Amino acid sequence: MPMLEEEIRQIMADETARLQATPDLAERVMRSSRGKRKRTRAAALAASVAVIAAAPIGYVTVGSVATTGRPEPAISAVPEPTTSATLEPPAIDDTPPAPSPTPDFGDLGDGKEFGHVKVGYLPERLKWSNWSLDFGDRYTTSYNFDGDKNGFYCVQIYMYEEAAVQEVDDRIMQYRDEDDGEEITVGDRTGYLVIQEVGEDGMKGTPTLFLRMGDRQRAEIMFSPVYAEEFSGAEAVSAELKKIAEGLTSTL
């Protein structure tokens, strides 16, 4: 045993003169191996040499060091690299999220009932455009000649309910303050008739009728400036707007 320990010390002294290894390294290794089988003692010896192998001078290979006298397989103190030690970065999904679908009413059939309103009258040749928007307290649909949702509208009806009613009342108040438009009566309901915005391509604007349909509901009926050109004048357009307003029935 002393001779074996002396050999270990000599190996350490020769190979690691520049290392700061603890002086009792060999004793600790051999003490931990006493009482075990001879082959286990040889493995402990190899483990002590593996510490030496961590130095930049290279690695130490031990052979024929077991006390049995039989040559032991050469043991390299440098561990083989394993693929498990390599960490791959997590995959990044940079696919943009799909846009949320625009809320609508789906198939409205002839389009004469949507939300909380029924449409009793539309000018001749008009049909539902297969288009609508539904934002809960405000919603709308439109009508044109061919029922194409990508086509131009002729008449559009926009409904406002609950908290959204205040928006319409504020707009009407602004028109009143500017002395733009006129108060009208539609049956037993009140309304306001005005030309909104500036029309495109020389058009005069968007003929619009605001209708009060109760404390919690307002309607905004609009003629497209292009469609308005098909009528004989402003009075004819206003008459059609009033007919549409008269035919509106609340289901709220």
Side-chain angles (χ1 to χ4, degrees):
M1 181 67 66
M3 182 177 297
L4 181 59
E5 293 177 355
E6 189 63 27
E7 290 179 3
I8 295 174
R9 284 200 180 100
Q10 188 61 46
I11 293 173
M12 292 175 61
D14 294 341
E15 301 294 343
T16 62
R18 292 176 296 175
L19 296 180
Q20 299 298 321
T22 58
D24 64 337
L25 175 62
E27 285 88 349
R28 288 188 287 107
V29 173
M30 297 308 297
R31 281 199 304 270
S32 65
S33 65
R34 288 193 182 101
K36 299 181 180 180
R37 293 183 304 173
K38 295 178 181 180
R39 188 174 182 84
T40 304
R41 291 168 58 193
L45 176 60
S48 68
V49 179
V51 176
I52 301 171
I57 58 175
Y59 62 87
V60 179
T61 302
V62 179
S64 303
V65 188
T67 57
T68 59
R70 296 195 303 269
E72 290 290 324
I75 302 174
S76 174
V78 178
E80 293 294 331
T82 60
T83 56
S84 61
T86 304
L87 298 179
E88 294 293 335
I92 299 176
D93 185 4
D94 56 359
T95 304
S100 301
T102 303
D104 60 31
F105 286 109
D107 186 1
L108 292 174
D110 61 5
K112 289 190 174 182
E113 183 173 358
F114 63 103
H116 299 115
V117 65
K118 292 182 178 180
V119 181
Y121 171 81
L122 286 173
E124 293 181 0
R125 297 185 296 143
L126 293 191
K127 60 181 66 176
W128 182 49
S129 66
N130 285 280
W131 170 89
S132 66
L133 290 175
D134 178 17
F135 298 108
D137 61 354
R138 63 193 70 200
Y139 48 91
T140 182
T141 194
S142 63
Y143 308 88
N144 56 23
F145 294 128
D146 55 12
D148 182 3
K149 66 180 180 180
N150 297 315
F152 292 102
Y153 83 98
C154 295
V155 171
Q156 182 173 354
I157 301 175
Y158 213 119
M159 300 299 300
Y160 303 82
E161 296 173 359
E162 307 299 345
V165 163
Q166 189 61 47
E167 175 189 332
V168 178
D169 291 348
D170 289 344
R171 287 163 60 193
I172 294 173
M173 182 62 68
Q174 182 177 353
Y175 287 130
R176 287 194 184 108
D177 293 343
E178 296 173 355
D179 197 22
D180 187 8
E182 60 177 312
E183 304 279 355
I184 63 170
T185 300
V186 180
D188 58 353
R189 299 179 292 195
T190 60
Y192 200 85
L193 194 61
V194 66
I195 305 295
Q196 292 195 100
E197 305 172 353
V198 177
E200 298 179 0
D201 299 329
M203 298 295 173
K204 296 179 180 179
T206 304
T208 304
L209 192 157
F210 294 100
L211 180 67
R212 179 185 176 91
M213 299 183 65
D215 294 339
R216 301 159 52 200
Q217 192 176 48
R218 305 285 187 272
E220 180 179 9
I221 309 165
M222 294 168 281
F223 262 39
S224 106
V226 175
Y227 181 57
E229 289 291 304
E230 295 199 5
F231 295 83
S232 58
E235 291 185 2
V237 172
S238 296
E240 287 297 301
L241 285 171
K242 290 178 182 178
K243 288 181 181 180
I244 296 174
E246 289 173 353
L248 291 184
T249 304
S250 175
T251 61
L252 187 64

